[in-house]
Amino acid sequence: MDRLYLVVPCYNEEEVLPETVRRLTDKLNRMAGKGLVSADSRILLVDDGSRDRTWELICGFHQENPAVSGLKLSRNRGHQNALVAGLMTARELCDITISLDADLQDDIEVLDQFVEAYHKGAQVVYGVRSARDTDTAFKRSTAMGFYGLMKKMGVDIVSNHADYRLMSKKALDCFSGYREVNLFLRGIVPLIGFPTAVVTYERSERFAGESKYPLKKMLSFAWDGITSFSTKPLSLITGVGIAVGFLSGLGLLAALICLLCGVSVAGWVWVLVSVWLGLGIQLVALGLVGAYVGKTYAEVKDRPRYHIEMLLDEGKRPGGEKG
Ligand code: UDP
Ligand code: MG
């Protein structure tokens, strides 16, 4: 039977934790009762350097509830890092992990469906929100804009999927090969490959406490997402340079033709056209440098080139490979 770890990053969550642990323990028991997961499945609460009583609460739960484990980070490192710390710890201890937020905004009743999809062969199962009516219009439109922009930048992410996700041990082992510091989980997970599945659910509002993701954190999250995954902004420079150079070249040509035909051309036209031409050349040169920077960036990240799903050869076990 598969052992499940629910990985829950917590930052100043004293208000929600008691209720969250109660609901998750109950859910795990019901799942174990149905034979979906093993009875020694657990909840791993990751304290992301909270300043309130979060860690004391976690210690207390751990003592009185055999299903609760705790992991404490030395200081606040942000949701994504806390999540990775939890997942990398859990991967040594279990067969499947599901990551979810401490405020239980993501409907935990669909956890069964996650595990069922895993039993059907999915190594990664994405929780996707069916509706966004509990969000403010602002959050909704900024989120949609973000997904659109990411897609345009060539980053493969699953729309309306936050970090509510099942990952098998196999997927996590592959994931551990991505050693980049600027971590954007939602972009990396689709890179891993393997069969995946989607479970849709409705997201509710926080039942207590307030959001730990103010606008500033959201913007820096989006910025990280784009700059960690795409070098398109760099190639954009070359594109703009070529366009500017081409247009000013046309201007220059027109002015020369006028000159040859004996039509007088005002002095400012020459100045303008040559300034723009110079600008175009500079931008192209900058874009060229950018192309090398982009390639260096990819090399520095040292991402795995491939992951092996299966090898048909007696006596060997497939594993992740570093290219
Ligand atoms: N979180 C964290 N570190 C942070 C900020 C948030 O671990 O620096 C956790 C938080 O405790 C919660 C999850 O990340 O479990 C999502 O945060 P929140 O619910 O505040 O975000 P929202 O749902 O408003 O986007
Ligand atoms: Mg939340």
Side-chain angles (χ1 to χ4, degrees):
M1 184 89 64
D2 297 302
R3 191 174 196 205
L4 167 69
Y5 261 55
L6 297 173
V7 178
V8 187
C10 311
Y11 178 56
N12 296 341
E13 298 286 12
E14 61 180 11
E15 281 164 285
V16 301
L17 270 185
E19 178 64 13
T20 298
V21 169
R22 196 188 62 71
R23 287 195 205 172
L24 289 180
T25 311
D26 176 53
K27 182 68 195 168
L28 272 186
N29 287 339
R30 278 186 282 141
M31 289 171 82
K34 276 204 241 168
L36 275 174
V37 295
S38 73
D40 59 355
S41 295
R42 277 169 168 263
I43 306 160
L44 177 63
L45 301 171
V46 184
D47 175 20
D48 182 19
S50 300
R51 273 172 298 212
D52 62 0
R53 293 182 50 252
T54 297
W55 182 245
E56 282 114 85
L57 287 178
I58 295 176
C59 294
F61 296 136
H62 175 65
Q63 279 193 342
E64 70 201 27
N65 182 344
V68 176
S69 302
L71 180 71
K72 182 172 165 48
L73 300 193
S74 60
R75 69 180 179 94
N76 182 239
R77 296 294 296 132
H79 170 237
Q80 299 277 291
N81 288 314
L83 200 51
V84 173
L87 291 175
M88 288 298 107
T89 307
R91 112 184 132 107
E92 313 284 342
L93 306 165
C94 65
D95 310 293
I96 22 179
T97 62
I98 297 178
S99 48
L100 66 165
D101 292 351
D103 53 16
L104 298 192
Q105 282 186 279
D106 307 308
D107 180 12
I108 59 168
E109 287 313 313
V110 300
L111 286 174
D112 306 42
Q113 293 175 36
F114 275 81
V115 178
E116 279 157 10
Y118 166 77
H119 286 147
K120 286 191 193 132
Q123 299 297 312
V124 178
V125 185
Y126 299 101
V128 168
R129 306 171 58 168
S130 55
R132 273 188 170 266
D133 8 294
T134 52
D135 273 348
T136 58
F138 178 72
K139 187 141 186 169
R140 204 161 45 221
S141 52
T142 45
M144 291 326 281
F146 171 66
Y147 292 119
L149 188 64
M150 291 296 276
K151 290 243 158 85
K152 276 214 180 75
M153 291 286 165
V155 187
D156 179 20
I157 55 170
V158 180
S159 291
N160 287 328
H161 159 68
D163 287 301
Y164 191 23
R165 176 177 55 231
L166 176 147
M167 289 179 81
S168 67
K169 176 165 169 48
K170 188 159 145 189
L172 285 172
D173 286 344
C174 293
F175 171 75
S176 67
Y178 294 77
R179 312 224 44 95
E180 51 206 88
V181 178
N182 292 300
L183 203 66
F184 185 71
L185 277 170
R186 290 176 215 180
I188 291 182
V189 177
L191 296 180
I192 297 175
F194 297 125
T196 62
V198 164
V199 165
T200 49
Y201 68 96
E202 272 178 35
R203 188 168 152 108
S204 51
E205 279 168 50
R206 216 174 220 281
F207 64 81
E210 49 189 46
S211 173
K212 313 293 183 285
Y213 256 103
L215 181 63
K216 199 171 131 239
K217 269 198 191 164
M218 254 162 58
L219 285 177
S220 90
F221 182 69
W223 178 248
D224 263 359
I226 292 169
T227 52
S228 308
F229 271 86
S230 173
T231 46
K232 279 224 170 133
L234 290 176
S235 17
L236 220 63
I237 301 178
T238 321
V240 173
I242 291 176
V244 169
F246 181 71
L247 287 178
S248 48
L250 277 187
L252 195 67
L253 200 69
L256 281 175
I257 291 174
C258 288
L259 200 70
L260 287 178
C261 301
V263 182
S264 76
V265 178
W268 61 264
V269 172
W270 297 110
V271 176
L272 201 72
V273 163
S274 43
V275 165
W276 279 91
L277 191 63
L279 184 72
I281 292 170
Q282 281 187 40
L283 281 177
V284 171
L286 204 61
L288 193 67
V289 176
Y292 287 96
V293 173
K295 292 228 153 74
T296 314
Y297 186 51
E299 296 292 340
V300 169
K301 278 183 190 282
D302 193 25
R303 285 183 179 163
R305 287 203 193 141
Y306 55 85
H307 304 291
I308 291 173
E309 186 167 343
M310 217 173 276
L311 167 68
L312 296 179
D313 183 291
E314 286 69 37
K316 293 214 175 115
R317 285 175 65 84
E321 302 278 306
K322 199 95 187 168

